[in-house]
Amino acid sequence: MREYIEKAKVLVEALPYIKEFGGITVVIKYGGSALIDEGVRDTILDDIVLMKYVGLKPVVVHGGGKDINVMLDRFGIKSEFVGGLRVTDADAMEVIEMTLSGKLNKELASRLNRHGVAAVGISGKDASLLTTSRKRASDGVDLGFVGEIDAVNPGIIHALIERDFVPVISPVAASASGETHNVNADFAAVAIAGALKAEKLVFLTDVEGVRANAGDKGSVLSRATLGQIGRMIESGAISGGMIPKVMCCVAGVKAGVKNVHILDGRVEHSLILEIFTKEGIGTLIELEARGEKLERA
Ligand SMILES: Nc1ncnc2c1ncn2[C@@H]1O[C@H](COP(=O)(O)OP(=O)(O)OP(=O)(O)O)[C@@H](O)[C@H]1O
Ligand SMILES: [Mg+2]
């Protein structure tokens, strides 16, 4: 009996959050190895389904760096990273599009469908969702077909949400002249969150959050300010794929997304824990430091 009462308490604890968040748009960037691990992936998909059923509007944007590495290896194509972004030649671009917009996008949509929502997999190319141009790294390095987002046309997302579909978006996009571009999914997520005026933007990744020292598991920051992040990039404490991610968090906060969070996608039900309980997990990005006990958005 006790066990059932505890279960009921958990449900009741979620009630204020369900009431508060009813109808809000949440953009979930899903990447890292959490995307590959089937066991974890299933719990995250359940979380997204639950969010949808209690009245939130989830929009999923996915990455796939780890899958892309496997595929590029299979095709014998080498790739290097500059500032956390993958230098992309024409051959790599083809493999990346097949992996992201083909394999992963369809797999995620299909899995979500099996978990009980009607998910539709699209890419940045569909209905001109994202229009891009070639990006140059800050040190002048030619990144090839890496895209920078010039415009977001969220019509297709609105149309899907209105009809109760859950959009699942691959970040491969095209330029105005039709050149295919590889967009880091973090940038796609924040641009889409801005265009949708989303209240929440969650980055599910494969670390517990932003670490003060990249190599030290125990140094995860429960919140980080814009100033702190700038200093950590400069000192090298934030590196690799975490650089574009934190830059996107900063852009999200500046664009007015109320709640921008980096969460560990390897933890079962990390989304539910963050959205529907008092437990704060991962790293919350904020403009400036506030009191210890942060009001939830
Ligand atoms: N200070 C730091 N704190 C936490 N992680 C860091 C830090 N500096 C670098 N990293 C690295 O950033 C990685 C996360 O970025 P990565 O691009 O690999 O994953 P993702 O963006 O979630 O997935 P994808 O690129 O497939 O969408 C971590 O696995 C970690 O190795
Ligand atoms: Mg990444």
Side-chain angles (χ1 to χ4, degrees):
M1 193 60 192
R2 190 80 237 136
E3 195 188 321
Y4 298 127
I5 293 171
E6 286 308 318
K7 275 189 185 157
K9 278 187 184 160
V10 172
L11 283 173
V12 172
E13 191 192 324
L15 198 56
Y17 301 112
I18 293 174
K19 279 187 192 158
E20 188 183 341
F21 297 143
I24 73 163
T25 301
V26 184
V27 173
I28 301 150
K29 153 68 203 310
Y30 188 8
S33 41
L35 200 58
I36 299 175
D37 185 319
E38 300 227 338
V40 177
R41 199 160 54 172
D42 276 359
T43 77
I44 289 173
L45 300 183
D46 278 338
D47 291 6
I48 295 170
V49 172
L50 184 87
M51 284 166 74
K52 176 82 183 94
Y53 274 90
V54 299
L56 284 79
K57 296 169 182 164
V59 174
V60 181
V61 180
H62 64 86
K66 302 249 154 69
D67 264 284
I68 291 168
N69 289 341
V70 172
M71 283 298 189
L72 287 174
D73 256 10
R74 220 182 262 179
F75 283 88
I77 299 169
K78 292 207 168 20
S79 64
E80 50 160 335
F81 285 85
V82 174
L85 301 175
R86 186 190 302 272
V87 179
T88 305
D89 66 13
D91 287 343
M93 188 62 253
E94 231 177 287
V95 174
I96 290 168
E97 184 166 32
M98 287 194 288
T99 310
L100 285 178
S101 302
K103 181 176 177 282
L104 276 175
N105 185 264
K106 298 308 149 198
E107 205 175 292
L108 252 187
S110 159
R111 279 181 159 260
L112 269 168
N113 289 334
R114 288 205 301 281
H115 279 249
V117 290
V120 177
I122 59 171
S123 80
K125 286 184 173 180
D126 290 278
S128 302
L129 172 59
L130 303 175
T131 306
T132 48
S133 53
R134 284 200 201 188
K135 187 186 185 91
R136 290 208 162 264
S138 49
D139 52 3
V141 176
D142 183 7
L143 293 167
F145 294 97
V146 171
E148 187 164 70
I149 299 169
D150 296 327
V152 183
N153 177 5
I156 181 69
I157 313 274
H158 288 304
L160 290 171
I161 291 176
E162 265 163 38
R163 302 291 295 268
D164 265 337
F165 294 111
V166 174
V168 176
I169 302 157
S170 147
V172 175
S175 69
S177 65
E179 186 173 84
T180 299
H181 290 153
N182 171 25
V183 180
N184 180 292
D186 299 335
F187 288 105
V190 71
I192 289 167
L196 293 176
K197 299 191 171 50
E199 279 87 347
K200 271 178 179 282
L201 172 58
V202 181
F203 292 89
L204 285 172
T205 184
D206 58 3
V207 275
E208 316 77 39
V210 180
R211 296 175 180 169
N213 300 309
D216 178 5
K217 273 188 182 179
S219 68
V220 176
L221 303 168
S222 57
R223 48 178 79 102
T225 62
L226 301 194
Q228 243 174 322
I229 283 171
R231 287 192 293 278
M232 284 169 74
I233 292 177
E234 233 162 73
S235 75
I238 290 177
S239 63
M242 193 49 77
I243 296 177
K245 198 177 309 302
V246 289
M247 281 166 60
C248 288
C249 290
V250 169
V253 174
K254 284 189 174 161
V257 182
K258 275 192 221 139
N259 197 301
V260 182
H261 227 109
I262 297 177
L263 288 187
D264 193 342
R266 300 165 308 172
V267 172
E268 283 184 32
H269 297 301
S270 50
L271 263 181
I272 296 250
L273 279 173
E274 161 47 29
I275 295 184
F276 297 120
T277 74
K278 290 195 288 281
E279 288 16 280
I281 54 169
T283 305
L284 178 82
I285 311 295
E286 51 191 349
L287 273 174
E288 49 195 43
R290 286 198 249 166
E292 249 322 286
K293 190 113 184 71
L294 189 88
E295 287 293 313
R296 297 191 55 122

